[in-house]
Amino acid sequence: MELLKRKILDEGEVYEGNILKVDNFLNHRIDVPFLREIGKEFHRLYNNCGVNKILTIEASGIAIGSMVAQEFDCPLVFAKKNKTKNIAGDVYVTPVESFTHGTTYSVMVAKRFLREGDKVLIVDDFLAIGNALRGLISLVNESGAELVGCGAVIEKSFQHGGDKLRAQGIRVESLAMVESMDHKTGKIVFRN
Amino acid sequence: MELLKRKILDEGEVYEGNILKVDNFLNHRIDVPFLREIGKEFHRLYNNCGVNKILTIEASGIAIGSMVAQEFDCPLVFAKKNKTKNIAGDVYVTPVESFTHGTTYSVMVAKRFLREGDKVLIVDDFLAIGNALRGLISLVNESGAELVGCGAVIEKSFQHGGDKLRAQGIRVESLAMVESMDHKTGKIVFRN
């Protein structure tokens, strides 16, 4: 998606530790009109696949998921991290290791919100090692719902999470694939 | 908003400890087409106020904020809880006590995303004691931006947070005001 690549080049910042900061439009300040274009692009890619539920993970997947769900005219379910008072016991849960935070946390979805018969598209802001996506995929599989595919706004393809999922036969679409980036020069190179 | 009241009566569940669970449409499974109506209603209420930024707090405010920002055709900023690697040091921060979780956490917004000249509408899913809103208001005040007002999808008016803010001269609009609820009978009464 050319508009996205342009935005990453214009507004993204590269930090040590393979961190690409795009909080000017994707995950702190949200450029909602732009995110609408993201939603339309995922709809274009997964149209005619029977998607009837979008699944993402809090917090930075929610705005993206909302815009994607809007295009599909279907509900969004966001998986929660850790257990809160407001989730009853009947949940699917899986551990996920966080690349960003260097910790492991639990990810859960109430069982009544993921069901056999659902055709699920998983979306998230970033795909790097793929831990969050693998966690969400495992929740979908446990529920008996059908996984249609995954969509990441930005894939850091040099961390190989996306290619590993594709090698397992899972459809993964990323709107921009960062092949390399350098925090010393700020240079970002995309995969074609 | 009659459609919202109907949904609360049909799908809401009342639990001990003043908990109204609406995770079937508002904060776990998100009824995105319905949330679009929520966005339109806040736009109707705050139209012609010059709003150019929507502010909310992760996680359950984000989907609502996205739909409101879409109507105003402006960016959404979501305040983050706790400090993560991905936020640089230059932040406004304030402590907030959580009614739901019984803990205190830090809420922060990067300084570059809230500025003098901004006209800010704060939105969130719930307004109870008002701690989260007060925290967000304090971030807006610290930044020098102008607070246009606040919008809550559901106000638990028997917890008086909304009325206290109104008594301070802050405009607070709630789309449904729960005057009382009873976890034994499940009965929910709205304020007219």
Side-chain angles (χ1 to χ4, degrees):
Chain A
M1 193 181 174
E2 287 310 314
L3 180 61
L4 171 63
K5 289 183 191 170
R6 175 50 49 204
K7 255 182 119 70
I8 293 170
L9 292 175
D10 288 349
E11 302 177 30
E13 294 164 283
V14 182
Y15 288 86
E16 205 170 348
N18 288 330
I19 290 172
L20 174 60
K21 198 165 143 179
V22 286
D23 63 1
N24 190 50
F25 65 93
L26 196 59
N27 44 29
H28 185 15
R29 176 185 180 277
I30 313 278
D31 184 339
V32 173
F34 171 70
L35 236 60
R36 207 161 165 184
E37 299 306 312
I38 298 270
K40 284 177 183 165
E41 181 65 8
F42 281 126
H43 184 257
R44 189 185 67 78
L45 290 164
Y46 282 103
N47 200 4
N48 303 319
C49 297
V51 171
N52 67 357
K53 197 164 277 182
I54 310 298
L55 177 66
T56 191
I57 184 167
E58 66 176 1
S60 46
I62 297 176
I64 298 154
S66 298
M67 291 297 150
V68 176
Q70 177 170 260
E71 294 303 320
F72 283 92
D73 199 29
C74 76
L76 166 71
V77 174
F78 69 89
K80 303 203 176 193
K81 296 172 180 173
N82 304 317
K83 196 164 174 58
T84 78
K85 266 193 201 170
N86 277 350
I87 290 199
D90 221 13
V91 297
Y92 299 114
V93 60
T94 191
V96 169
E97 204 184 317
S98 166
F99 168 73
T100 318
H101 300 83
T103 53
T104 297
Y105 55 91
S106 293
V107 169
M108 65 196 68
V109 169
K111 287 188 179 175
R112 60 198 179 114
F113 297 145
L114 266 189
R115 285 191 170 155
E116 214 168 319
D118 281 339
K119 292 171 82 97
V120 181
L121 171 60
I122 296 174
V123 299
D124 205 0
D125 55 346
F126 273 98
L127 166 54
I129 297 170
N131 287 347
L133 279 193
R134 266 197 302 277
L136 294 174
I137 291 167
S138 119
L139 297 178
V140 172
N141 290 340
E142 204 183 339
S143 75
E146 182 190 331
L147 177 67
V148 171
C150 301
V153 178
I154 302 173
E155 178 174 341
K156 295 192 278 186
S157 51
F158 60 89
Q159 292 184 286
H160 308 300
D163 287 334
K164 278 184 194 161
L165 290 169
R166 290 180 190 104
Q168 290 169 34
I170 294 167
R171 183 175 173 193
V172 180
E173 302 280 357
S174 301
L175 304 190
M177 297 178 92
V178 176
E179 190 59 48
S180 71
M181 55 190 208
D182 185 332
H183 72 272
K184 285 175 195 143
T185 62
K187 193 175 179 195
I188 297 170
V189 177
F190 295 104
R191 188 195 281 188
N192 276 322
Chain B
M1 192 181 173
E2 287 309 314
L3 180 62
L4 172 63
K5 289 183 190 169
R6 174 54 44 205
K7 255 182 121 68
I8 293 169
L9 292 176
D10 287 350
E11 302 177 29
E13 295 164 282
V14 182
Y15 288 84
E16 206 169 349
N18 289 329
I19 290 172
L20 173 60
K21 198 165 143 179
V22 287
D23 63 0
N24 190 50
F25 66 92
L26 195 60
N27 45 27
H28 185 16
R29 177 186 179 276
I30 313 278
D31 184 339
V32 172
F34 171 69
L35 237 61
R36 207 160 166 184
E37 299 305 313
I38 298 271
K40 285 177 183 165
E41 181 66 8
F42 280 125
H43 184 257
R44 190 185 67 76
L45 290 164
Y46 283 102
N47 201 4
N48 302 321
C49 298
V51 172
N52 68 356
K53 198 164 275 181
I54 309 299
L55 177 66
T56 189
I57 185 167
E58 65 177 2
S60 47
I62 297 176
I64 297 155
S66 299
M67 291 297 150
V68 176
Q70 178 170 260
E71 294 304 318
F72 284 92
D73 199 29
C74 76
L76 165 72
V77 173
F78 69 88
K80 302 201 176 194
K81 296 172 181 173
N82 304 316
K83 195 163 174 59
T84 80
K85 266 192 202 171
N86 277 350
I87 290 199
D90 221 13
V91 296
Y92 299 114
V93 59
T94 192
V96 169
E97 205 183 318
S98 166
F99 168 73
T100 317
H101 301 82
T103 53
T104 297
Y105 54 91
S106 293
V107 169
M108 65 195 68
V109 169
K111 287 187 179 174
R112 61 197 179 115
F113 296 145
L114 267 188
R115 286 191 169 153
E116 213 169 319
D118 281 339
K119 293 171 83 95
V120 180
L121 170 60
I122 297 175
V123 299
D124 205 359
D125 55 345
F126 273 98
L127 166 53
I129 298 170
N131 288 347
L133 279 192
R134 266 196 302 276
L136 294 174
I137 290 166
S138 119
L139 297 178
V140 172
N141 290 340
E142 204 182 340
S143 74
E146 181 190 330
L147 177 67
V148 171
C150 300
V153 178
I154 302 173
E155 178 173 342
K156 294 190 279 187
S157 52
F158 59 90
Q159 293 184 284
H160 308 300
D163 287 335
K164 279 183 194 161
L165 290 169
R166 289 180 190 105
Q168 291 169 34
I170 294 167
R171 182 174 174 193
V172 180
E173 302 280 357
S174 301
L175 305 190
M177 296 177 92
V178 176
E179 190 59 49
S180 70
M181 55 188 205
D182 185 332
H183 71 271
K184 285 176 195 143
T185 62
K187 194 177 179 192
I188 297 169
V189 177
F190 295 103
R191 187 194 283 187
N192 276 323

